[in-house]
Amino acid sequence: MKRTLKGFNRVLPVVLALFAGCASGTFADAAMSPADTALQALNALRAQAGMDGFSTEGRLAAAALGHARYLLAQPGAGHVQRRGGTGFTGVEPLDRARAARYPAMLVSENVAQGNTDADRALAGLMAAIYHRFGFLDFDVDSVGIGYAAYRNRESSAGYVFLMGNSALARLCGGKNFEGNGQYVYSVCDPDIRIEKRVYDGARGRFALKQPEVVVWPPADMQDVPPAFFDESPDPLPDHEVSGYPISVSINPYRVGTVRAHDFRLVDLDSGKAVSNLRRMDVSTDPNRKLDDHQFAWFPLQRLKWGGHYEASVTLNLDGRVESRRWRFQVRDVPRPFYTVRVGTDQQAFVTDADGWLTVFVPPGGRRGVQRLTTLEYRYPEGASVESEFFDGNTLRIRLRGQPGTKVRFETDGGIHFDVVLAARRR
């Protein structure tokens, strides 16, 4: 028998659901809606970074829900809607927020598609550097979350996170400033004048309560993904896969002038520094999205499954020099664990009866395959195979059958290996 497995999202049962914010709703087999669960998971991530959690905002939630529904009909649309498209509610995130009567014109949006599980959706967004900085933005403190999915089609699932500043929204819902002195305008819809002193105080009220420095992954995190694959726009257009980026963001409401230098990442298991790093900041960002308080470093090779790392950086904060040093651990995968030697024939990996094994196919190598998208295999009558992708380079396989059963697996670029079922222990 032959089977082809494509992609690296597991297909799980999905209940047809449309939820926004934290409004109540009916969701099978769960006490909380997907949006409730996503908010809880997002705030847990912010807590790990030392930041306060988001509050929910109903108008942002309504706008986020509208976009989640739009993405059901137009998968892959990202942040931009097309006029005339099914479910159109506004071209840009700000247009959709305004259509939902959110009065402030400071909004930002993150979108994740292809996962019903909120933790996995958020893990993907936190691996993507621009989206990570969006969730760790010092300017936003409220969020509306929209979720939509078709039953039994995980690839259709979409989470939309629309973020804003609650203090600014309250000001925009107030009266027009008619007094003497400086004021700001074009920050509200409908437009009103706001006294500058009041505006500055409101906009920075939340940020001043947040840490001076936020690093990610945070100190002592033990479930860090080993790799980064995709983001739009692409921060690494010349690499299909890299290591998980390390970032440092400085609170602009507490620090004016910033310099970051002498960044190091050390593999604690080998004692060696990770040498192939690419720095990204306001001057080197290929998409010009980072500001002068945001820094990221990309290891150009994947981090190791289960690896232990130490990051360090020297910061100059308004002339004050301080060093930061922290450790984190990359998540591990189930054993036994095998690495494919790309280009080598007759590789056989052994698994116990009814057991799982993990197979890692390094990106690049002689075949030049950066990530896996397909897996083909044949197995004899009486045997069975289960398989799934951990990520774009890592597979989990389970073989059942008689002792000595051998199955050949082949993936992109003709890369192949065998899995043999070991004899049962007596």
Side-chain angles (χ1 to χ4, degrees), residues 126-129 132 216-217 224-230 234-248 263-267 272-280 295-305 307-312 326 328 330 363 370 393:
M126 292 301 287
I129 196 65
R132 178 194 300 178
W216 194 272
V224 177
F228 160 70
F229 289 94
D230 290 309
D234 192 345
L236 288 179
D238 56 333
H239 284 73
E240 284 191 47
V241 57
S242 76
Y244 192 80
I246 294 87
S247 64
V248 176
F263 177 83
R264 293 185 79 234
L265 182 64
V266 176
D267 179 344
K272 297 179 180 179
V274 177
S275 59
N276 205 359
L277 296 167
R278 181 173 298 180
R279 171 175 166 141
M280 189 174 298
F295 306 88
W297 291 266
F298 287 81
L300 295 185
Q301 279 76 45
R302 290 175 56 110
L303 303 182
K304 298 186 303 185
W305 287 113
H308 300 78
Y309 293 87
E310 181 179 81
S312 60
W326 69 101
F328 60 87
V330 174
Q370 296 297 317
N393 304 117

Side-chain angles (χ1 to χ4, degrees), residues 49 56 69 174 177 217 318:
T56 58
R69 287 171 166 165
F177 175 64
D318 288 333

Side-chain angles (χ1 to χ4, degrees), residues 3 5-12 112-117 120-121 124 153-157 230 372-373 387-392 394-395:
R3 184 187 176 206
L5 178 69
K6 294 186 177 181
F8 51 94
N9 280 325
R10 292 181 61 196
V11 179
L12 303 175
Q113 289 187 268
N115 270 312
T116 55
D117 182 86
R120 290 196 304 175
R153 283 179 53 193
E154 182 177 28
S155 61
S156 74
D230 290 309
L372 309 179
T373 59
S387 56
E388 63 185 16
F389 284 87
F390 270 125
D391 67 16
T394 313
L395 303 158

Side-chain angles (χ1 to χ4, degrees), residues 105-161:
M105 296 178 68
L106 172 65
V107 297
S108 61
E109 180 182 79
N110 278 349
V111 171
Q113 289 187 268
N115 270 312
T116 55
D117 182 86
D119 287 324
R120 290 196 304 175
L122 286 166
L125 290 169
M126 292 301 287
I129 196 65
Y130 301 130
H131 293 74
R132 178 194 300 178
F133 281 132
F135 280 143
L136 302 179
D137 189 347
F138 296 99
D139 251 332
V140 294
D141 66 345
S142 55
V143 66
I145 302 174
Y147 172 85
Y150 290 124
R151 184 186 299 271
N152 296 329
R153 283 179 53 193
E154 182 177 28
S155 61
S156 74
Y159 285 92
V160 177
F161 303 84

Side-chain angles (χ1 to χ4, degrees), residues 6-265:
K6 294 186 177 181
F8 51 94
N9 280 325
R10 292 181 61 196
V11 179
L12 303 175
V14 182
V15 175
L16 176 62
L18 295 171
F19 295 102
C22 291
S24 61
T26 302
F27 185 68
D29 303 322
M32 296 194 298
S33 76
D36 287 322
T37 303
L39 178 66
Q40 185 178 75
L42 176 56
N43 281 343
L45 292 175
R46 285 174 60 88
Q48 284 184 280
M51 303 183 76
D52 292 338
F54 285 124
S55 60
T56 58
E57 216 294 336
R59 292 163 294 189
L60 294 177
L65 174 59
H67 191 47
R69 287 171 166 165
Y70 178 89
L71 293 174
L72 276 182
Q74 288 86 199
H79 299 288
V80 179
Q81 293 188 12
R82 177 180 55 83
R83 294 184 185 277
T86 302
F88 175 82
T89 55
V91 175
E92 300 283 351
L94 179 57
D95 300 322
R96 299 189 285 273
R98 294 169 73 179
R101 299 186 181 279
Y102 184 72
M105 296 178 68
L106 172 65
V107 297
S108 61
E109 180 182 79
N110 278 349
V111 171
Q113 289 187 268
N115 270 312
T116 55
D117 182 86
D119 287 324
R120 290 196 304 175
L122 286 166
L125 290 169
M126 292 301 287
I129 196 65
Y130 301 130
H131 293 74
R132 178 194 300 178
F133 281 132
F135 280 143
L136 302 179
D137 189 347
F138 296 99
D139 251 332
V140 294
D141 66 345
S142 55
V143 66
I145 302 174
Y147 172 85
Y150 290 124
R151 184 186 299 271
N152 296 329
R153 283 179 53 193
E154 182 177 28
S155 61
S156 74
Y159 285 92
V160 177
F161 303 84
L162 191 58
M163 295 162 280
N165 183 300
S166 61
L168 181 56
R170 285 192 293 272
L171 283 180
C172 288
K175 296 181 179 180
N176 188 62
F177 175 64
E178 302 288 353
N180 297 321
Q182 292 183 310
Y183 60 86
V184 297
Y185 60 97
S186 296
V187 295
C188 303
D189 182 33
D191 194 16
I192 62 171
R193 296 176 178 179
I194 301 176
E195 186 179 3
K196 187 176 186 305
R197 175 185 58 83
V198 175
Y199 170 82
D200 290 342
R203 184 164 174 175
R205 188 173 302 146
F206 178 78
L208 287 171
K209 300 176 183 178
Q210 305 314 303
E212 189 175 70
V213 178
V214 170
V215 301
W216 194 272
D220 303 321
M221 187 174 181
Q222 297 182 355
D223 193 35
V224 177
F228 160 70
F229 289 94
D230 290 309
E231 185 172 16
S232 180
D234 192 345
L236 288 179
D238 56 333
H239 284 73
E240 284 191 47
V241 57
S242 76
Y244 192 80
I246 294 87
S247 64
V248 176
S249 48
I250 312 300
N251 191 333
Y253 292 88
R254 298 181 59 180
V255 179
T257 303
V258 179
R259 286 196 302 118
H261 53 93
D262 296 335
F263 177 83
R264 293 185 79 234
L265 182 64

Side-chain angles (χ1 to χ4, degrees), residues 356-407:
W356 289 89
L357 74 158
T358 303
V359 178
F360 174 63
V361 183
R366 289 167 55 186
R367 301 294 175 86
V369 176
Q370 296 297 317
R371 71 173 77 185
L372 309 179
T373 59
T374 62
L375 179 67
E376 296 187 356
Y377 45 87
R378 297 178 182 272
Y379 52 92
E381 294 291 340
S384 66
V385 174
E386 298 175 60
S387 56
E388 63 185 16
F389 284 87
F390 270 125
D391 67 16
N393 304 117
T394 313
L395 303 158
R396 193 171 184 229
I397 296 170
R398 187 178 194 183
L399 174 59
R400 291 178 172 178
Q402 294 298 316
T405 296
K406 181 170 71 173
V407 176

